[in-house]
Amino acid sequence: MSRYHREFRFANGVHELLMPDIHKYLLSEGYEYRDFDGEQVYKKGSGWVSAPTFVKIQASKTVIIIEAWIKTALLPGVYVGESGIDGFYGAAPKGILANRVRHIEQMITNNGGVDAANATAAAVGEKKNVFCTKCGAKNDADAKFCVKCGEKLVK
Ligand SMILES: [Zn+2]
């Protein structure tokens, strides 16, 4: 019962049009971009009829983080809880929100984003490490001798 959270990394940087495209997509789906409890979020629904759904997207030069959640309303405007996009309760709005999140994730992966949870070091362009056969110390991939014991590194 917590927020959906997923992080994508970009080896070649986030495309300059990707964030504006995601913004346009969410507005076209009826979301408003606004401040809610001190967070800048995309929000849809008032809580009068259905639970409002939220999407939050944070981007840096090489990372995009997506969060999504639904507020459970006890009374109009009185929210008692927050839940992610899986699970049975409120399945219909969750399913719609999940589909929108999938759509955004598709836009991200089409633009070179790699799921940080699955990303291998190679996929995000990071150097792999090499481990010393004598002392086990971690060394940079391009190192020739162990930083700790001076042993010649085997690759
Ligand atoms: Zn060593």
Side-chain angles (χ1 to χ4, degrees):
M1 293 294 272
S2 59
R3 290 184 186 188
Y4 176 83
H5 180 106
R6 205 164 169 202
E7 182 177 326
F8 292 88
R9 295 187 200 157
F10 296 78
N12 300 314
V14 177
H15 191 278
E16 59 178 2
L17 292 179
L18 181 55
M19 286 300 290
D21 281 349
I22 293 171
H23 181 76
K24 272 185 245 165
Y25 167 70
L26 282 166
L27 295 190
S28 77
E29 289 290 324
Y31 282 79
E32 48 173 336
Y33 189 53
R34 52 164 290 181
D35 179 86
F36 188 86
D37 286 348
E39 291 183 279
Q40 202 63 36
V41 298
Y42 294 92
K43 176 177 182 282
K44 181 170 181 173
S46 62
W48 286 81
V49 181
S50 64
T53 62
F54 296 83
V55 179
K56 183 178 180 183
I57 300 182
Q58 295 165 277
S60 69
K61 279 182 182 157
T62 57
V63 175
I64 290 181
I65 297 170
I66 297 181
E67 291 177 280
W69 65 97
I70 290 172
K71 285 275 192 191
T72 310
L74 180 64
L75 293 166
V78 180
Y79 303 110
V80 294
E82 201 172 87
S83 69
I85 60 178
D86 299 319
F88 181 77
Y89 178 78
K94 277 185 186 179
I96 295 166
L97 176 60
N99 286 342
R100 291 186 177 116
V101 169
R102 302 288 170 256
H103 184 93
I104 294 166
E105 290 177 348
Q106 193 64 52
M107 295 169 81
I108 288 172
T109 51
N110 287 348
N111 281 275
V114 176
D115 187 337
N118 300 332
T120 63
V124 295
E126 287 172 11
K127 284 180 190 168
K128 283 183 178 157
N129 294 113
V130 61
F131 293 88
C132 175
T133 52
K134 188 179 173 190
C135 76
K138 189 161 91 173
N139 288 272
D140 286 342
D142 49 6
K144 287 192 168 51
F145 298 93
C146 177
V147 287
K148 194 173 168 193
C149 73
E151 180 80 0
K152 192 171 196 306
L153 294 169
V154 184
K155 285 161 211 171

Short mmCIF file of all heavy atoms in Angstrom, two decimals, residues 65-108:
data_model
loop_
_atom_site.label_atom_id
_atom_site.label_comp_id
_atom_site.label_asym_id
_atom_site.label_seq_id
_atom_site.Cartn_x
_atom_site.Cartn_y
_atom_site.Cartn_z
N ILE A 65 12.33 9.61 -12.68
CA ILE A 65 11.68 8.82 -11.65
C ILE A 65 10.18 9.04 -11.76
O ILE A 65 9.70 10.17 -11.79
CB ILE A 65 12.17 9.24 -10.24
CG1 ILE A 65 13.66 8.96 -10.10
CG2 ILE A 65 11.37 8.49 -9.17
CD1 ILE A 65 14.28 9.55 -8.85
N ILE A 66 9.45 7.94 -11.86
CA ILE A 66 7.99 7.99 -11.92
C ILE A 66 7.44 7.50 -10.60
O ILE A 66 7.86 6.47 -10.09
CB ILE A 66 7.44 7.06 -13.02
CG1 ILE A 66 7.92 7.50 -14.39
CG2 ILE A 66 5.92 7.05 -12.98
CD1 ILE A 66 7.37 6.62 -15.49
N GLU A 67 6.48 8.25 -10.08
CA GLU A 67 5.73 7.76 -8.93
C GLU A 67 4.25 7.85 -9.30
O GLU A 67 3.84 8.76 -10.04
CB GLU A 67 6.00 8.61 -7.70
CG GLU A 67 7.41 8.45 -7.14
CD GLU A 67 7.64 9.37 -5.96
OE1 GLU A 67 7.91 10.55 -6.19
OE2 GLU A 67 7.52 8.91 -4.82
N ALA A 68 3.45 6.93 -8.80
CA ALA A 68 2.01 6.97 -9.06
C ALA A 68 1.28 6.43 -7.84
O ALA A 68 1.76 5.49 -7.20
CB ALA A 68 1.67 6.14 -10.30
N TRP A 69 0.15 7.05 -7.53
CA TRP A 69 -0.61 6.58 -6.38
C TRP A 69 -2.04 7.07 -6.47
O TRP A 69 -2.37 7.93 -7.28
CB TRP A 69 0.05 7.03 -5.07
CG TRP A 69 0.08 8.50 -4.81
CD1 TRP A 69 -0.80 9.23 -4.05
CD2 TRP A 69 1.05 9.45 -5.30
NE1 TRP A 69 -0.43 10.55 -4.03
CE2 TRP A 69 0.69 10.71 -4.79
CE3 TRP A 69 2.17 9.34 -6.13
CZ2 TRP A 69 1.43 11.87 -5.08
CZ3 TRP A 69 2.90 10.50 -6.41
CH2 TRP A 69 2.52 11.73 -5.89
N ILE A 70 -2.85 6.49 -5.62
CA ILE A 70 -4.26 6.84 -5.54
C ILE A 70 -4.55 7.23 -4.11
O ILE A 70 -4.07 6.60 -3.17
CB ILE A 70 -5.13 5.63 -5.94
CG1 ILE A 70 -4.98 5.37 -7.44
CG2 ILE A 70 -6.58 5.85 -5.57
CD1 ILE A 70 -5.64 4.10 -7.92
N LYS A 71 -5.31 8.28 -3.95
CA LYS A 71 -5.73 8.68 -2.60
C LYS A 71 -7.10 8.07 -2.31
O LYS A 71 -8.00 8.11 -3.14
CB LYS A 71 -5.84 10.20 -2.50
CG LYS A 71 -4.50 10.91 -2.45
CD LYS A 71 -3.97 10.98 -1.05
CE LYS A 71 -2.80 11.95 -0.98
NZ LYS A 71 -2.10 11.85 0.31
N THR A 72 -7.21 7.54 -1.14
CA THR A 72 -8.50 7.01 -0.72
C THR A 72 -9.24 8.11 0.05
O THR A 72 -8.70 8.67 1.00
CB THR A 72 -8.31 5.79 0.20
OG1 THR A 72 -7.40 4.90 -0.45
CG2 THR A 72 -9.61 5.08 0.44
N ALA A 73 -10.44 8.42 -0.41
CA ALA A 73 -11.18 9.51 0.22
C ALA A 73 -12.23 8.96 1.18
O ALA A 73 -13.02 8.09 0.84
CB ALA A 73 -11.85 10.37 -0.84
N LEU A 74 -12.23 9.49 2.37
CA LEU A 74 -13.23 9.12 3.38
C LEU A 74 -14.46 10.01 3.18
O LEU A 74 -15.59 9.55 3.15
CB LEU A 74 -12.63 9.33 4.77
CG LEU A 74 -13.49 9.00 5.98
CD1 LEU A 74 -13.82 7.52 6.02
CD2 LEU A 74 -12.77 9.40 7.26
N LEU A 75 -14.19 11.28 3.03
CA LEU A 75 -15.20 12.28 2.71
C LEU A 75 -14.61 13.10 1.57
O LEU A 75 -13.41 13.05 1.35
CB LEU A 75 -15.43 13.21 3.92
CG LEU A 75 -16.06 12.57 5.16
CD1 LEU A 75 -15.89 13.49 6.35
CD2 LEU A 75 -17.54 12.28 4.90
N PRO A 76 -15.46 13.86 0.88
CA PRO A 76 -14.90 14.71 -0.19
C PRO A 76 -13.73 15.55 0.33
O PRO A 76 -13.89 16.30 1.29
CB PRO A 76 -16.07 15.58 -0.60
CG PRO A 76 -17.26 14.71 -0.32
CD PRO A 76 -16.90 13.94 0.92
N GLY A 77 -12.58 15.36 -0.27
CA GLY A 77 -11.43 16.17 0.11
C GLY A 77 -10.72 15.70 1.37
O GLY A 77 -9.70 16.26 1.74
N VAL A 78 -11.26 14.70 2.06
CA VAL A 78 -10.61 14.20 3.27
C VAL A 78 -9.99 12.84 2.94
O VAL A 78 -10.68 11.83 2.84
CB VAL A 78 -11.62 14.05 4.44
CG1 VAL A 78 -10.91 13.53 5.68
CG2 VAL A 78 -12.30 15.38 4.71
N TYR A 79 -8.70 12.85 2.77
CA TYR A 79 -8.03 11.64 2.31
C TYR A 79 -7.46 10.87 3.48
O TYR A 79 -6.85 11.42 4.38
CB TYR A 79 -6.92 12.01 1.33
CG TYR A 79 -7.44 12.79 0.16
CD1 TYR A 79 -7.12 14.12 0.00
CD2 TYR A 79 -8.29 12.18 -0.76
CE1 TYR A 79 -7.62 14.85 -1.07
CE2 TYR A 79 -8.79 12.89 -1.83
CZ TYR A 79 -8.45 14.23 -1.98
OH TYR A 79 -8.94 14.94 -3.03
N VAL A 80 -7.70 9.59 3.47
CA VAL A 80 -7.25 8.77 4.60
C VAL A 80 -6.05 7.89 4.28
O VAL A 80 -5.42 7.35 5.16
CB VAL A 80 -8.38 7.87 5.15
CG1 VAL A 80 -9.48 8.72 5.75
CG2 VAL A 80 -8.94 6.98 4.04
N GLY A 81 -5.77 7.73 3.01
CA GLY A 81 -4.65 6.84 2.73
C GLY A 81 -4.15 7.00 1.32
O GLY A 81 -4.74 7.68 0.49
N GLU A 82 -3.06 6.35 1.07
CA GLU A 82 -2.41 6.42 -0.22
C GLU A 82 -2.10 4.99 -0.61
O GLU A 82 -1.70 4.19 0.23
CB GLU A 82 -1.11 7.19 -0.04
CG GLU A 82 -0.56 7.80 -1.27
CD GLU A 82 0.62 8.71 -0.93
OE1 GLU A 82 1.73 8.18 -0.86
OE2 GLU A 82 0.41 9.91 -0.71
N SER A 83 -2.33 4.64 -1.86
CA SER A 83 -1.97 3.29 -2.26
C SER A 83 -1.37 3.28 -3.65
O SER A 83 -1.57 4.21 -4.43
CB SER A 83 -3.19 2.37 -2.20
OG SER A 83 -4.11 2.69 -3.20
N GLY A 84 -0.67 2.23 -3.92
CA GLY A 84 -0.01 2.08 -5.22
C GLY A 84 -0.97 1.67 -6.30
O GLY A 84 -2.19 1.84 -6.16
N ILE A 85 -0.46 1.11 -7.38
CA ILE A 85 -1.34 0.82 -8.51
C ILE A 85 -1.61 -0.67 -8.67
O ILE A 85 -2.26 -1.07 -9.61
CB ILE A 85 -0.79 1.42 -9.81
CG1 ILE A 85 0.59 0.85 -10.13
CG2 ILE A 85 -0.77 2.92 -9.73
CD1 ILE A 85 1.16 1.39 -11.44
N ASP A 86 -1.13 -1.47 -7.75
CA ASP A 86 -1.44 -2.90 -7.80
C ASP A 86 -2.48 -3.21 -6.73
O ASP A 86 -2.76 -2.41 -5.86
CB ASP A 86 -0.18 -3.73 -7.54
CG ASP A 86 0.87 -3.46 -8.60
OD1 ASP A 86 0.48 -3.35 -9.78
OD2 ASP A 86 2.04 -3.34 -8.25
N GLY A 87 -3.04 -4.38 -6.79
CA GLY A 87 -3.96 -4.80 -5.74
C GLY A 87 -5.40 -4.65 -6.14
O GLY A 87 -5.74 -4.00 -7.12
N PHE A 88 -6.26 -5.24 -5.35
CA PHE A 88 -7.66 -5.35 -5.70
C PHE A 88 -8.46 -4.10 -5.40
O PHE A 88 -9.29 -3.66 -6.17
CB PHE A 88 -8.28 -6.55 -4.96
CG PHE A 88 -9.72 -6.75 -5.28
CD1 PHE A 88 -10.10 -7.34 -6.48
CD2 PHE A 88 -10.72 -6.34 -4.39
CE1 PHE A 88 -11.44 -7.51 -6.79
CE2 PHE A 88 -12.05 -6.51 -4.69
CZ PHE A 88 -12.41 -7.11 -5.90
N TYR A 89 -8.21 -3.49 -4.24
CA TYR A 89 -9.04 -2.37 -3.83
C TYR A 89 -8.99 -1.23 -4.86
O TYR A 89 -7.92 -0.80 -5.26
CB TYR A 89 -8.62 -1.84 -2.45
CG TYR A 89 -9.44 -0.66 -2.04
CD1 TYR A 89 -10.74 -0.83 -1.54
CD2 TYR A 89 -8.96 0.63 -2.22
CE1 TYR A 89 -11.51 0.25 -1.21
CE2 TYR A 89 -9.74 1.71 -1.88
CZ TYR A 89 -11.01 1.52 -1.37
OH TYR A 89 -11.78 2.59 -1.06
N GLY A 90 -10.17 -0.75 -5.24
CA GLY A 90 -10.20 0.33 -6.22
C GLY A 90 -9.60 -0.09 -7.54
O GLY A 90 -8.90 0.66 -8.18
N ALA A 91 -9.87 -1.33 -7.91
CA ALA A 91 -9.20 -1.92 -9.07
C ALA A 91 -9.41 -1.11 -10.36
O ALA A 91 -8.49 -0.99 -11.16
CB ALA A 91 -9.67 -3.35 -9.28
N ALA A 92 -10.60 -0.57 -10.54
CA ALA A 92 -10.86 0.14 -11.81
C ALA A 92 -9.99 1.38 -11.98
O ALA A 92 -9.27 1.47 -12.97
CB ALA A 92 -12.34 0.48 -11.92
N PRO A 93 -10.01 2.32 -11.03
CA PRO A 93 -9.12 3.49 -11.21
C PRO A 93 -7.65 3.09 -11.24
O PRO A 93 -6.86 3.69 -11.95
CB PRO A 93 -9.43 4.40 -10.02
CG PRO A 93 -10.21 3.58 -9.05
CD PRO A 93 -10.85 2.47 -9.84
N LYS A 94 -7.30 2.05 -10.48
CA LYS A 94 -5.91 1.60 -10.49
C LYS A 94 -5.51 1.09 -11.86
O LYS A 94 -4.42 1.35 -12.32
CB LYS A 94 -5.70 0.49 -9.45
CG LYS A 94 -5.47 1.01 -8.07
CD LYS A 94 -5.14 -0.12 -7.12
CE LYS A 94 -5.07 0.42 -5.70
NZ LYS A 94 -4.77 -0.64 -4.74
N GLY A 95 -6.42 0.34 -12.48
CA GLY A 95 -6.12 -0.20 -13.80
C GLY A 95 -5.90 0.91 -14.81
O GLY A 95 -4.98 0.86 -15.62
N ILE A 96 -6.73 1.95 -14.75
CA ILE A 96 -6.59 3.07 -15.68
C ILE A 96 -5.29 3.81 -15.41
O ILE A 96 -4.55 4.13 -16.34
CB ILE A 96 -7.81 4.02 -15.54
CG1 ILE A 96 -9.08 3.30 -15.98
CG2 ILE A 96 -7.60 5.29 -16.36
CD1 ILE A 96 -10.36 4.00 -15.58
N LEU A 97 -5.00 4.03 -14.13
CA LEU A 97 -3.74 4.71 -13.78
C LEU A 97 -2.55 3.86 -14.23
O LEU A 97 -1.58 4.39 -14.80
CB LEU A 97 -3.70 4.97 -12.27
CG LEU A 97 -2.41 5.59 -11.72
CD1 LEU A 97 -2.16 6.95 -12.36
CD2 LEU A 97 -2.49 5.75 -10.21
N ALA A 98 -2.64 2.56 -13.98
CA ALA A 98 -1.53 1.67 -14.36
C ALA A 98 -1.29 1.73 -15.87
O ALA A 98 -0.15 1.77 -16.31
CB ALA A 98 -1.83 0.24 -13.92
N ASN A 99 -2.38 1.77 -16.65
CA ASN A 99 -2.22 1.86 -18.10
C ASN A 99 -1.53 3.15 -18.50
O ASN A 99 -0.72 3.16 -19.43
CB ASN A 99 -3.58 1.78 -18.79
CG ASN A 99 -4.14 0.37 -18.77
OD1 ASN A 99 -3.39 -0.60 -18.55
ND2 ASN A 99 -5.44 0.24 -18.96
N ARG A 100 -1.84 4.24 -17.83
CA ARG A 100 -1.19 5.52 -18.15
C ARG A 100 0.28 5.48 -17.79
O ARG A 100 1.13 5.99 -18.52
CB ARG A 100 -1.90 6.66 -17.42
CG ARG A 100 -3.29 6.89 -17.97
CD ARG A 100 -3.94 8.12 -17.36
NE ARG A 100 -5.23 8.32 -17.99
CZ ARG A 100 -6.40 8.25 -17.34
NH1 ARG A 100 -6.42 8.03 -16.03
NH2 ARG A 100 -7.53 8.44 -17.96
N VAL A 101 0.57 4.86 -16.65
CA VAL A 101 1.97 4.74 -16.24
C VAL A 101 2.73 3.88 -17.26
O VAL A 101 3.84 4.22 -17.66
CB VAL A 101 2.07 4.14 -14.82
CG1 VAL A 101 3.51 3.73 -14.49
CG2 VAL A 101 1.56 5.14 -13.79
N ARG A 102 2.10 2.78 -17.70
CA ARG A 102 2.75 1.93 -18.72
C ARG A 102 3.02 2.71 -20.00
O ARG A 102 4.05 2.54 -20.64
CB ARG A 102 1.87 0.72 -19.06
CG ARG A 102 1.51 -0.18 -17.92
CD ARG A 102 2.67 -1.04 -17.41
NE ARG A 102 2.30 -1.70 -16.17
CZ ARG A 102 2.71 -1.34 -14.95
NH1 ARG A 102 3.55 -0.33 -14.80
NH2 ARG A 102 2.32 -1.97 -13.87
N HIS A 103 2.05 3.55 -20.36
CA HIS A 103 2.21 4.36 -21.57
C HIS A 103 3.42 5.29 -21.44
O HIS A 103 4.23 5.41 -22.35
CB HIS A 103 0.94 5.17 -21.83
CG HIS A 103 0.97 5.96 -23.10
ND1 HIS A 103 0.46 5.47 -24.29
CD2 HIS A 103 1.47 7.18 -23.38
CE1 HIS A 103 0.65 6.37 -25.24
NE2 HIS A 103 1.26 7.42 -24.72
N ILE A 104 3.53 5.94 -20.29
CA ILE A 104 4.67 6.84 -20.06
C ILE A 104 5.98 6.06 -20.07
O ILE A 104 6.97 6.49 -20.66
CB ILE A 104 4.49 7.59 -18.72
CG1 ILE A 104 3.28 8.52 -18.79
CG2 ILE A 104 5.76 8.38 -18.38
CD1 ILE A 104 2.83 9.04 -17.45
N GLU A 105 5.95 4.88 -19.46
CA GLU A 105 7.17 4.07 -19.42
C GLU A 105 7.58 3.63 -20.82
O GLU A 105 8.76 3.53 -21.13
CB GLU A 105 6.97 2.87 -18.49
CG GLU A 105 6.89 3.32 -17.04
CD GLU A 105 6.62 2.19 -16.07
OE1 GLU A 105 6.26 1.08 -16.51
OE2 GLU A 105 6.78 2.43 -14.86
N GLN A 106 6.57 3.39 -21.67
CA GLN A 106 6.86 3.04 -23.06
C GLN A 106 7.54 4.22 -23.75
O GLN A 106 8.51 4.04 -24.50
CB GLN A 106 5.56 2.66 -23.77
CG GLN A 106 5.76 2.00 -25.12
CD GLN A 106 6.46 0.66 -24.99
OE1 GLN A 106 6.04 -0.19 -24.23
NE2 GLN A 106 7.55 0.48 -25.71
N MET A 107 7.03 5.43 -23.50
CA MET A 107 7.65 6.63 -24.08
C MET A 107 9.11 6.73 -23.62
O MET A 107 9.99 7.09 -24.40
CB MET A 107 6.88 7.89 -23.65
CG MET A 107 5.46 7.98 -24.18
SD MET A 107 4.51 9.32 -23.38
CE MET A 107 5.08 10.73 -24.32
N ILE A 108 9.33 6.42 -22.37
CA ILE A 108 10.67 6.53 -21.79
C ILE A 108 11.62 5.49 -22.40
O ILE A 108 12.73 5.82 -22.82
CB ILE A 108 10.60 6.38 -20.25
CG1 ILE A 108 9.97 7.65 -19.65
CG2 ILE A 108 11.98 6.13 -19.66
CD1 ILE A 108 9.67 7.56 -18.17
#
